[in-house]
Amino acid sequence: MPMQESYAIEAQGLTKRFGDFTAVDAISFNVKKGEIFGFLGANGAGKTTAIKMLIGLSRPSAGEATIAGFDVYNETERIKENIGYMSQKFSLYEDLTIAENIRFYGGVYGLSRRQIALKIVEITERLQLEDYSDKLVGELPLGWKQRLAFSLAGVHDPAIIFLDEPTGGVDPTTRRQFWEMIYEAAARGITIFVTTHYMDEAEYCNRISIMVDGRMDALGSPRELKEQFAAASMDEVFVRLVRGNSN
Amino acid sequence: MRRLAYIIQKEFIQVFRNKAMLPIMTIVPIVQLIVLSYAASNEVTNVRLAIVNQDQSAASRLLIQKVEAADRFILMDFPLSVEEGDELLQRGEVGIVLVIPAQFERTFYREKRGEIQLLVNAIDGQQATVGSGYLSSIIQSFNQEMRAELRLVPMQSNQAQILTTSSNWYNPDLNFKYFMAPGILGELVTILVMLLTAMNVVREREIGTIEQINVTPIKKWQFILGKMVPFLIIGLVLLTVGLTAAKLIFNIPIRGSLVVVFAFCILNLMAVLGLGLFISNLSDTQQQAMFTTFFFVIIFILMSGLFTPIESMPKWAQYLTIPNPIAHFVSVMRSVLLKGSTFQDVIYHFRMTGIMAILFNILAIWSYRKVA
Amino acid sequence: MKIFWAFVRKEIYHILRDRRTLAILFGMPIALVLIFGYTVTNEFKDASVAIVNQANDELSQEFIEHLTSSGHFQLVALPQTRDELETTFRANQAKLGVVIPPSFSDDFYRQKAATIQLIADATEPNYATTLVNYANQMIRSFQQQKNQMSEQAPYSVAVQTRMYYNPQLEGAYNFVPGTVALILMLICAMMTSLTIAKEKELGTMDLLLVSPLPPMLIILGKVTPYAVLSFIDAIIVFVLGYFLFDVPVRGSVPLLLALCLLYLFVALALGLLISTKAANQQTAMMTSLFTLMLPTMLLSGFLFPIPSMPTILQYISKVIPAKYFIQIEQAVMLKAAGWEAVAFPTLVLTIMLVVLLAAAWKNFKVVKA
């Protein structure tokens, strides 16, 4: 499989079956480096299953994919060195302080002590939490936890950051602030792969795909899709897509 | 290697910050050690006794005095008839009824024989046997005294005797605490560590941090070692504290090498931690992990030789004690502390536990799935 | 009423879905009965004996054969010296050592008095005592045999022992009642406290409390399946005890089962009380374990005799429900006793039940308020 230098993520016919049930049905797509790629779909459409295959947590049933040039079947450990991940549950250690969480994940990713110290400063400054680096994460409000989780996902400056429904449960202002962070990361050259079921967030992405019942039924930039489906907003695109399906 | 250090550091921070669990990991086991050592004794004392003295002779009174002097029995009552005695047994007010029949003294001197009856509540077979055994030997010695008084011709010339002398090694006072405390300590350290480990991993899975770890380049063995090392150290600390407490409170002997004890403890904990991790890898919820661990723990304890001797078990059950880490630990603790056994003496336990350590940890690593 | 059944059904689904816990809830009583029946015993057979035979003559050989003839003793080593005997002990190869002096034959036949030394590994005191006692018995019988004494020496007092209720000295008679007490406490108290604590942890408890439903009904609904489950477990233990180990129920079966229920309710009340105090599952589990399970096992009298414990522990054992229940079981099952024998323990259990329910109710009201 020839490696395209400019693609961060390549997937071809990627499939995941659980017994008789096909959760992800032969999806194919590419993500360019530095792109913000939105992975949309309703709850239960197969987004989380798909992302798990891409980050090396789940073995595909069929199809191919490379992440940062590494194969998802045989090179999962290399993939993990080069990506960051933020799960729906944030996965922060609530009984550890901010600094301790950074130290742990930094250490796990192989950063040196100096690098970790720098990162602690960098992250707490960016989050404007410099005075709180010794506060237990459990005491932080939800919005801060969210942004901290994102920073931790990028603590080792990976090529790609995967986000699985990162903005669940927060108000629109906080969501907007979060997306600021995403833009900033993308501006630094990091590829962002984000799943969400909020259709308005789709507008923030360079390109998006929409999954319906395990299949990828739409792929393109928000503008392209709105033209394709003659819709005024992404919400409408989605509704038309789903309705079109059930016809 | 450095990654491992970071994992261990995080675990320690979490352990010490968990305020609720800290006393459970330190004070509670020590309290248990003390209470258990006092409670867990099969010693037969304070047996409640009723005496039906239908003879009322001088001889009978002498016998009763001897029984009282023996200090193992509490004389509860002197019922007038065997039926009354039966009722006391029925109501559970006494454990044994001693019956001295009518005309006991006269029959002894005239017909040269006598009979005493013991009615024993035999529900607890061991208590019954040992308790009635004590009474029997008191009666025998009473018999000897009576015969001595008669100044019988000692023996006809063709009656040879075998006398026995007996000595109790390692525990001449038959002190039950010496017997129980080392074993209990071994058992406590083991189960605490096993329980904590199993719960810990499942908890991380429940809150989602395991998934996060799986996405990082951490190797499986690093993760598992990272879980094991802190709990290993906790186990060793507990052992130290426990030994000190046992020495101070019960004055248990420490005749053998503590190096052997600690070395074995490390090996044993490695085996047990591997098992705990294996169980948690297979459990979906904390409750399941706790219950499964608890189940294993109870079976291990009951069959460990802690309360009843392994020698008394049927052969097939004795084989089952081989994969029982607690059985080995209890034996090593007792042998080394009370008998001064050396490394060579207990090398069998080292070997078996070593095999278990390797086996359980392989199972733990194998069952840990970074990729589903 | 419908609400009640709704909760019962929901709880049953929870239980049935958790296959592993279910397996353990049924497997544990069975395992316990088997273990107690077959392996937890003080019986001794094939006890390992090491003999230091310094005589090495015909008489000593006869003696050794006699000693090991009954099957209770098993010869495992023949150390040559006391030092070697020590090594045998330290390596746990033998529990009893017998030293036959070099002049054994001479002493016995000519001097009419020979001495054998018995050395016990007294690490295990009771076992050591039993071994020594039995060895003494065997030596006496050897002596009698050699002397061809056919009748008893004159002026001997014979001791006739009658073992009541359990003439075969079956260990099962002692542990089956205890196992039932343990299982009932385990399932009713521990599971109950866990399931309610879990709802608290998940936050769904608040939901229920805020609703207009009577809280007692909800609690009862959650708790009923466990009551039924543990009752079934108890019956399994009784049945296994009967078929595998011949443990009878000589008294009235309905009486036994009725009092079983009483104890069960006490256990449930205990579980409820703990759940009102515990904030999460971990705390509930640890509390149940240490305040219920361990005391029930140790201080109820079935594993270890209460009279030989220090006074303070004897006092503590008075507040352990299992102790009274075991008394009841023993009376009804083994002593064929009627009401009078069980009146007192029944009274105690009833008082406990009332007190515990009142305490749980009070705590509950506080929470609700």
Side-chain angles (χ1 to χ4, degrees):
Chain A
M1 196 70 181
M3 228 165 49
Q4 288 272 29
E5 286 301 337
S6 53
Y7 286 133
I9 303 175
E10 279 184 86
Q12 190 82 305
L14 204 57
T15 309
K16 181 76 181 179
R17 283 181 226 108
F18 295 107
D20 285 340
F21 173 63
T22 307
V24 177
D25 197 352
I27 58 175
S28 305
F29 63 97
N30 299 328
V31 178
K32 298 198 207 38
K33 281 190 190 165
E35 210 180 345
I36 300 180
F37 189 84
F39 205 60
L40 270 61
N43 284 329
K47 304 192 302 296
T48 306
T49 315
I51 210 178
K52 287 213 163 111
M53 285 193 282
L54 298 175
I55 59 179
L57 280 188
S58 173
R59 204 179 158 77
S61 310
E64 281 151 353
T66 51
I67 313 290
F70 297 107
D71 176 48
V72 295
Y73 286 98
N74 304 321
E75 297 175 292
T76 51
E77 293 304 303
R78 300 305 310 274
I79 292 179
K80 288 168 184 173
E81 283 166 22
N82 289 291
I83 63 170
Y85 174 62
M86 178 183 160
S87 75
Q88 279 178 352
K89 298 186 202 169
F90 300 170
S91 304
L92 299 164
Y93 285 106
E94 308 236 329
D95 51 348
L96 258 46
T97 65
I98 299 177
E100 285 163 353
N101 266 283
I102 300 174
R103 187 172 301 125
F104 174 65
Y105 281 112
V108 159
Y109 277 108
L111 299 183
S112 75
R113 248 194 276 186
R114 241 194 78 236
Q115 286 174 311
I116 291 177
L118 287 174
K119 277 293 172 184
I120 293 181
V121 172
E122 183 189 312
I123 293 178
T124 50
E125 266 179 17
R126 195 188 310 148
L127 297 178
Q128 293 169 325
L129 288 173
E130 304 96 314
D131 298 327
Y132 300 97
S133 60
D134 285 331
K135 223 167 153 53
L136 290 184
V137 167
E139 298 168 30
L140 293 176
L142 193 60
W144 261 268
K145 281 191 208 175
Q146 204 183 36
R147 286 151 63 207
L148 178 60
F150 181 72
S151 305
L152 284 176
V155 73
H156 56 300
D157 297 316
I160 312 171
I161 296 185
F162 288 86
L163 306 160
D164 190 7
E165 314 252 0
T167 53
V170 297
D171 60 80
T173 322
T174 321
R175 270 202 281 141
R176 181 75 220 172
Q177 280 179 326
F178 185 74
W179 273 91
E180 299 276 347
M181 291 188 82
I182 296 184
Y183 284 146
E184 203 197 4
R188 281 185 277 135
I190 303 181
T191 311
I192 306 281
F193 185 97
V194 54
T195 72
T196 176
H197 62 269
Y198 290 114
M199 292 306 148
D200 57 332
E201 288 187 345
E203 307 274 4
Y204 305 154
C205 304
N206 295 126
R207 276 193 312 145
I208 61 170
S209 68
I210 302 185
M211 282 192 71
V212 180
D213 292 338
R215 293 178 323 273
M216 188 173 277
D217 278 357
L219 180 62
S221 74
R223 201 165 48 86
E224 282 167 12
L225 290 181
K226 280 190 275 193
E227 272 177 32
Q228 186 184 342
F229 289 90
S233 71
M234 285 309 303
D235 254 332
E236 263 191 71
V237 170
F238 181 72
V239 168
R240 272 176 220 247
L241 199 59
V242 172
R243 237 192 248 146
N245 247 27
S246 49
N247 274 351
Chain B
M1 243 328 153
R2 238 180 335 116
R3 288 189 191 169
L4 184 60
Y6 280 109
I7 300 176
I8 296 178
Q9 182 187 41
K10 157 187 102 70
E11 295 291 338
F12 269 118
I13 297 178
Q14 284 185 303
V15 161
F16 284 114
R17 211 163 271 161
N18 191 343
K19 291 284 184 277
M21 289 297 281
L22 270 180
I24 291 189
M25 294 192 301
T26 50
I27 305 179
V28 170
I30 301 298
V31 166
Q32 270 192 75
L33 173 67
I34 300 176
V35 170
L36 275 176
S37 301
Y38 274 116
S41 151
N42 276 310
E43 197 180 349
V44 180
T45 57
N46 297 331
V47 179
R48 282 178 295 182
L49 184 66
I51 301 187
V52 178
N53 186 357
Q54 294 171 329
D55 186 37
Q56 300 289 347
S57 63
S60 67
R61 279 196 289 277
L62 198 61
L63 176 59
I64 295 176
Q65 264 177 38
K66 277 188 84 69
V67 170
E68 265 179 319
D71 216 17
R72 284 197 180 272
F73 302 93
I74 303 180
L75 256 50
M76 296 293 290
D77 204 356
F78 289 91
L80 298 172
S81 66
V82 176
E83 288 72 36
E84 270 185 55
D86 274 349
E87 219 173 288
L88 287 176
L89 277 175
Q90 186 85 325
R91 288 210 295 269
E93 290 184 29
V94 296
I96 303 184
V97 176
L98 186 145
V99 181
I100 308 176
Q103 313 286 0
F104 171 71
E105 196 180 42
R106 190 180 297 181
T107 319
F108 182 76
Y109 287 121
R110 293 248 182 98
E111 298 172 41
K112 301 194 184 144
R113 61 176 178 81
E115 190 187 85
I116 306 273
Q117 245 202 348
L118 297 179
L119 311 174
V120 183
N121 175 348
I123 293 182
D124 184 337
Q126 200 205 22
Q127 290 280 307
T129 318
V130 177
S132 59
Y134 280 137
L135 272 179
S136 276
S137 32
I138 295 178
I139 295 174
Q140 292 302 340
S141 118
F142 164 70
N143 193 184
Q144 294 283 58
E145 277 180 30
M146 289 185 72
R147 296 168 87 192
E149 253 179 48
L150 290 175
R151 276 186 227 107
L152 294 170
V153 176
M155 282 295 162
Q156 294 139 16
S157 42
N158 60 354
Q159 295 256 356
Q161 258 191 327
I162 304 183
L163 306 163
T164 60
T165 66
S166 60
S167 46
N168 289 312
W169 280 8
Y170 311 123
N171 187 2
D173 298 324
L174 296 183
N175 183 329
F176 259 89
K177 315 231 180 19
Y178 288 7
F179 173 52
M180 293 304 294
I184 290 177
L185 183 57
E187 166 244 329
L188 279 177
V189 168
T190 309
I191 70 176
L192 187 80
V193 167
M194 205 169 143
L195 214 63
L196 285 178
T197 312
M199 279 174 21
N200 178 296
V201 176
V202 181
R203 215 173 123 259
E204 281 219 36
R205 192 179 310 142
E206 275 184 354
I207 64 181
T209 45
I210 289 252
E211 189 184 67
Q212 191 70 27
I213 299 262
N214 284 343
V215 178
T216 68
I218 289 187
K219 308 245 183 322
K220 280 209 265 191
W221 66 266
Q222 283 172 332
F223 175 70
I224 294 210
L225 255 189
K227 287 280 170 206
M228 273 178 53
V229 169
F231 289 121
L232 200 85
I233 298 187
I234 291 178
L236 286 174
V237 167
L238 190 58
L239 181 67
T240 315
V241 174
L243 274 174
T244 319
K247 182 82 186 137
L248 289 175
I249 301 180
F250 302 118
N251 198 16
I252 56 166
I254 300 186
R255 298 200 176 105
S257 154
L258 281 178
V259 173
V260 175
V261 171
F262 276 91
F264 187 79
C265 186
I266 293 178
L267 198 62
N268 184 67
L269 285 180
M270 276 168 53
V272 158
L273 282 165
L275 185 60
L277 280 172
F278 179 52
I279 291 178
S280 67
N281 284 340
L282 298 178
S283 305
D284 297 322
T285 65
Q286 279 192 70
Q287 191 181 325
Q288 267 184 15
M290 289 196 263
F291 258 60
T292 317
T293 311
F294 187 58
F295 180 59
F296 271 97
V297 158
I298 290 223
I299 295 189
F300 278 161
I301 295 181
L302 286 176
M303 294 187 51
S304 66
L306 183 59
F307 303 127
T308 57
I310 295 184
E311 280 214 334
S312 302
M313 298 186 198
K315 277 283 179 281
W316 61 263
Q318 290 190 28
Y319 284 126
L320 283 180
T321 65
I322 296 181
N324 180 346
I326 301 189
H328 291 286
F329 200 8
V330 166
S331 182
V332 168
M333 287 288 276
R334 283 182 179 154
S335 305
V336 174
L337 292 178
L338 297 173
K339 298 197 269 200
S341 298
T342 63
F343 175 67
Q344 273 304 113
D345 293 326
V346 295
I347 199 168
Y348 166 71
H349 296 294
F350 270 90
R351 276 204 200 106
M352 290 298 130
T353 311
I355 294 178
M356 276 196 283
I358 296 176
L359 192 67
F360 288 147
N361 281 297
I362 290 181
L363 280 175
I365 296 182
W366 168 80
S367 66
Y368 183 73
R369 302 226 167 273
K370 268 188 100 178
V371 182
Chain C
M1 227 24 209
K2 258 202 300 193
I3 303 169
F4 175 72
W5 287 117
F7 275 100
V8 171
R9 249 202 314 265
K10 159 166 128 47
E11 205 61 36
I12 293 182
Y13 286 150
H14 272 305
I15 300 177
L16 288 180
R17 217 168 280 146
D18 192 348
R19 288 271 168 76
R20 284 202 198 95
T21 308
L22 196 66
I24 294 183
L25 286 179
F26 278 114
M28 181 127 47
I30 300 180
L32 279 180
V33 171
L34 291 177
I35 291 181
F36 273 123
Y38 290 121
T39 68
V40 174
T41 150
N42 282 295
E43 214 184 302
F44 81 102
K45 45 183 195 307
D46 297 328
S48 52
V49 175
I51 302 189
V52 183
N53 187 359
Q54 295 172 330
N56 256 319
D57 53 23
E58 199 186 312
L59 183 64
S60 58
Q61 288 298 359
E62 274 184 56
F63 175 67
I64 294 178
E65 260 189 55
H66 181 87
L67 205 60
T68 54
S69 61
S70 67
H72 285 281
F73 284 145
Q74 196 192 185
L75 183 60
V76 295
L78 285 167
Q80 301 294 321
T81 64
R82 285 168 75 94
D83 277 345
E84 278 180 40
L85 179 65
E86 168 116 43
T87 313
T88 315
F89 276 165
R90 280 215 307 263
N92 282 318
Q93 285 176 330
K95 299 285 186 197
L96 180 70
V98 180
V99 183
I100 307 175
S103 52
F104 187 50
S105 291
D106 196 56
D107 290 341
F108 187 70
Y109 286 125
R110 291 230 200 107
Q111 319 290 354
K112 300 295 178 190
T115 310
I116 302 260
Q117 211 192 8
L118 299 174
I119 302 179
D121 177 350
T123 329
E124 246 168 302
N126 263 6
Y127 198 60
T129 315
T130 313
L131 289 186
V132 166
N133 281 345
Y134 193 72
N136 270 321
Q137 261 185 282
M138 292 302 283
I139 292 176
R140 265 202 299 275
S141 66
F142 180 70
Q143 177 187 304
Q144 275 187 326
Q145 197 190 317
K146 288 313 282 182
N147 284 320
Q148 280 134 12
M149 295 198 298
S150 49
E151 45 178 68
Q152 252 188 342
Y155 297 109
S156 291
V157 175
V159 180
Q160 196 209 47
T161 311
R162 277 184 58 202
M163 297 294 189
Y164 276 26
Y165 317 129
N166 182 8
Q168 304 294 330
L169 297 180
E170 272 285 351
Y173 283 47
N174 197 27
F175 74 76
V176 166
T179 308
V180 175
L182 198 64
I183 292 291
L184 286 174
M185 184 60 77
L186 181 71
I187 299 182
C188 288
M190 198 146 92
M191 289 304 303
T192 304
S193 72
L194 271 179
T195 183
I196 296 184
K198 185 170 190 177
E199 300 255 6
K200 269 205 217 175
E201 210 173 287
L202 294 178
T204 49
M205 196 48 144
D206 287 333
L207 255 161
L208 299 174
L209 291 178
V210 166
S211 71
L213 306 163
M216 253 308 137
L217 213 54
I218 302 172
I219 303 283
L220 274 176
K222 286 188 75 60
V223 145
T224 307
Y226 292 110
V228 172
L229 199 74
S230 59
F231 195 62
I232 296 178
D233 267 340
I235 298 193
I236 293 181
V237 174
F238 283 135
V239 166
L240 275 179
Y242 178 67
F243 282 112
L244 283 180
F245 303 112
D246 294 325
V247 180
V249 180
R250 296 189 179 122
S252 147
V253 173
L255 181 64
L256 179 66
L257 292 180
L259 292 175
C260 227
L261 276 178
L262 175 62
Y263 175 69
L264 197 149
F265 289 141
V266 173
L268 283 177
L270 270 170
L272 273 176
L273 188 61
I274 292 183
S275 71
T276 58
K277 294 281 190 183
N280 58 33
Q281 287 183 82
Q282 215 180 50
T283 318
M285 157 118 333
M286 287 298 175
T287 315
S288 310
L289 211 59
F290 294 125
T291 62
L292 293 181
M293 293 310 306
L294 282 176
T296 300
M297 277 209 297
L298 302 167
L299 301 177
S300 59
F302 96 93
L303 263 184
F304 303 109
I306 299 178
S308 57
M309 296 181 197
T311 328
I312 181 169
L313 288 178
Q314 291 193 35
Y315 276 119
I316 297 181
S317 86
K318 287 194 201 287
V319 302
I320 303 218
K323 170 182 164 159
Y324 300 100
F325 179 57
I326 291 179
Q327 273 177 10
I328 292 177
E329 285 181 287
Q330 286 180 347
V332 174
M333 288 169 77
L334 305 169
K335 297 186 190 176
W339 257 116
E340 328 78 48
V342 299
F344 179 65
T346 309
L347 183 65
V348 173
L349 282 180
T350 315
I351 296 179
M352 282 186 178
L353 180 63
V354 169
V355 166
L356 286 171
L357 280 180
W361 179 248
K362 202 177 79 137
N363 278 336
F364 210 70
K365 292 231 104 142
V366 169
V367 167
K368 185 133 202 219

